Amino acid sequence: MDKLYNLYGSQGREMALEILEEVPLELSSNMKVGIKPNLALAKESQSGATTDPELVAGVIEYLQAQGIEDIIIIESSWVGDKTKRAFKVCGYEDLANQYGVRLYDLKDDSFQTYVSGDLEIKVCQKPLEVDYLINMPVLKAHCQTKITCALKNLKGCIPDSEKRRFHTLDLHKPIAHLNQILRSDLIVVDGIIGDLTFEEGGNPVRMNRVLVGKDSVLIDAFVAQLLGFDIDEIPYIKIAEELGLGSTDSTSAEIKYLNNSKDLIQEENKLVDTDINARKVERLAQYIVEKEACSACYGSLIHALQRIDDKYGLPKDTQVYIGQGWQEESISGIGIGRCTGQAKDHISGCPPEAKRIVDKLIEIWGLD
Ligand code: SF4
């Protein structure tokens, strides 16, 4: 079973450098390394849609410190947006100039057809030519596939015609099979700011975490629970496991937490206040009584409330309590996280995963 690494924080560059020091990597200086961020569209990372260029900067600095010079950032934005515009708007042009790395728009790339199972899939050549592929998705929900993370991020490595065809095939099966053809050697998930519901951002939720691992299936299974979903709700994760691409068993995986979210409290309190600005997030925030909550905890609760609202609607006149400010106080309602242990109903964890919050709130509110 592969390991997952989790680091809480909000400074992408520093976080990448710190977390990669912990992970044993099979790199050598003569390798050609490809970095595949999520730049599905031309929106800055604060929108929750795209990979933080600072996180990528940290990865590049780490690689260059290993003597690796041949680094290429590859992406093909979704159908209807221009990758080159995304490179510019999302800060990747500046990044490339600063570090002397190349940007490559895969919409300009040649492609070949590969076979996986009973599917033929066209895949761009550049991603297959690198010696080491670092997949850098954003931790976010998705309106069609529920989540988009490691496995789905490789959809940016196929031609636009193939992206359209994937939709006619219901996405799940071709996404899993694409990962059999094109394997990620390392996954660095930008969980600093993701999105509540849509791939295109607009309802940013700050989770202040970076996850690193080598098993895309395990990463996606873990992320599904962080966003409040059952793994079974996202068929492509299971299909990928059946193809032998990894394990969904995140409960027995070794997860190395390199710090505690509560250590970031001062910085995060400020960020929680300023981040609640999107309409959907603002609406959910009305259900929350927050005092000094860590962003990872608050983000889990926001995701959990959205998942419950999607399925059942949220009960009227209900509030839940969260944050370190409640540690010494008794609470007559529902408390989220270790800090609200004195609440009448309490959901443990520090921070609790959204899926656990979903399951417990459904039980407490008698929704099922
Ligand atoms: S329970 Fe939540 S708010 Fe309390 S320290 Fe843990 S993560 Fe922070």
Side-chain angles (χ1 to χ4, degrees):
M1 174 64 71
D2 212 346
K3 251 191 199 172
L4 290 186
Y5 299 80
N6 182 101
L7 182 68
Y8 294 108
S10 58
Q11 305 301 311
R13 179 185 156 273
E14 290 79 1
M15 290 172 81
L17 288 166
E18 185 178 341
I19 201 165
L20 291 179
E21 278 302 330
E22 296 291 324
V23 187
L25 300 176
E26 307 76 25
L27 290 167
S28 61
S29 57
N30 58 353
M31 277 182 164
K32 177 174 185 165
V33 176
I35 296 176
K36 165 66 179 78
N38 183 332
L39 304 178
L41 71 168
K43 266 191 185 176
E44 292 176 354
S45 62
Q46 288 91 332
S47 69
T50 54
T51 307
D52 179 2
E54 283 296 307
L55 188 67
V56 180
V59 171
I60 294 169
E61 278 188 36
Y62 177 85
L63 294 171
Q64 291 180 335
Q66 314 305 308
I68 296 169
E69 291 173 0
D70 197 354
I71 301 169
I72 183 168
I73 299 174
I74 50 175
E75 175 61 308
S76 165
S77 295
W78 67 11
V79 178
D81 215 330
K82 293 187 169 70
T83 316
K84 292 177 186 69
R85 198 166 81 93
F87 280 147
K88 188 177 179 57
V89 170
C90 301
Y92 284 70
E93 271 188 14
D94 292 343
L95 189 71
N97 290 334
Q98 185 182 347
Y99 290 97
V101 301
R102 284 175 298 141
L103 300 175
Y104 193 88
D105 178 356
L106 294 176
K107 287 185 198 265
D108 299 334
D109 202 9
S110 57
F111 55 84
Q112 278 189 27
T113 302
Y114 298 85
V115 176
S116 171
D118 59 355
L119 283 182
E120 290 190 346
I121 298 176
K122 295 183 178 70
V123 183
C124 297
Q125 281 306 100
K126 280 275 182 304
L128 288 158
E129 284 167 8
V130 299
D131 301 310
Y132 197 89
L133 182 61
I134 303 180
N135 181 354
M136 297 189 64
V138 180
L139 191 162
K140 57 184 172 176
H142 187 269
C143 58
Q144 288 164 299
T145 56
K146 310 279 194 212
I147 70 158
T148 170
C149 196
L151 292 162
K152 189 172 169 298
N153 193 35
L154 295 192
K155 190 163 160 274
C157 296
I158 57 176
D160 278 1
S161 58
E162 202 65 340
K163 289 178 198 152
R164 287 192 204 94
R165 194 174 72 95
F166 269 33
H167 284 271
T168 68
L169 299 172
D170 196 28
L171 288 172
H172 292 279
K173 185 175 169 184
I175 286 171
H177 281 269
L178 169 61
N179 280 265
Q180 192 171 49
I181 298 164
L182 178 62
R183 305 292 284 264
S184 303
D185 294 293
L186 184 72
I187 304 107
V188 180
V189 181
D190 176 4
I192 300 171
I193 303 176
D195 195 78
L196 180 67
T197 43
F198 294 118
E199 186 172 18
E200 65 259 45
N203 286 287
V205 178
R206 183 173 285 277
M207 300 284 273
N208 271 355
R209 67 203 302 169
V210 168
L211 290 168
V212 171
K214 296 177 187 171
D215 177 341
S216 299
V217 179
L218 184 62
I219 289 260
D220 278 10
F222 184 67
V223 158
Q225 292 168 64
L226 289 184
L227 297 183
F229 292 103
D230 255 333
I231 297 165
D232 293 346
E233 291 180 80
I234 304 133
Y236 68 73
I237 304 178
K238 278 277 181 199
I239 301 170
E241 183 179 47
E242 282 157 21
L243 289 172
L245 304 182
S247 167
T248 57
D249 188 6
S250 62
T251 46
S252 31
E254 191 183 337
I255 301 168
K256 194 166 176 192
Y257 290 91
L258 303 177
N259 60 356
N260 294 311
S261 64
K262 69 179 168 58
D263 296 340
L264 309 164
I265 186 67
Q266 284 199 340
E267 175 192 20
E268 288 192 337
N269 279 339
K270 267 189 265 150
L271 295 169
V272 166
D273 287 345
T274 53
D275 284 348
I276 305 169
N277 50 15
R279 196 170 46 82
K280 281 190 182 177
V281 178
E282 218 166 41
R283 191 178 76 78
L284 296 173
Q286 291 170 6
Y287 290 83
I288 303 173
V289 189
E290 180 264 335
K291 261 199 224 178
E292 299 166 24
C294 302
S295 295
C297 214
Y298 193 88
S300 288
L301 178 55
I302 287 283
H303 276 289
L305 292 176
Q306 179 67 42
R307 304 295 92 88
I308 295 171
D309 198 32
D310 288 343
K311 276 192 183 156
Y312 306 97
L314 288 165
K316 285 203 173 70
D317 303 324
T318 302
Q319 287 197 305
V320 289
Y321 295 77
I322 189 168
Q324 296 190 63
W326 294 108
Q327 281 180 97
E328 307 299 325
E329 299 189 37
S330 59
I331 300 166
S332 56
I334 303 166
I336 308 293
R338 192 178 64 190
C339 296
T340 58
Q342 310 209 46
K344 183 169 160 281
D345 289 302
H346 168 237
I347 299 169
S348 62
C350 179
E353 293 153 7
K355 182 66 177 72
R356 279 200 335 104
I357 301 175
V358 169
D359 291 346
K360 281 294 263 182
L361 288 180
I362 286 174
E363 190 186 311
I364 293 168
W365 287 334
L367 296 175
D368 214 0

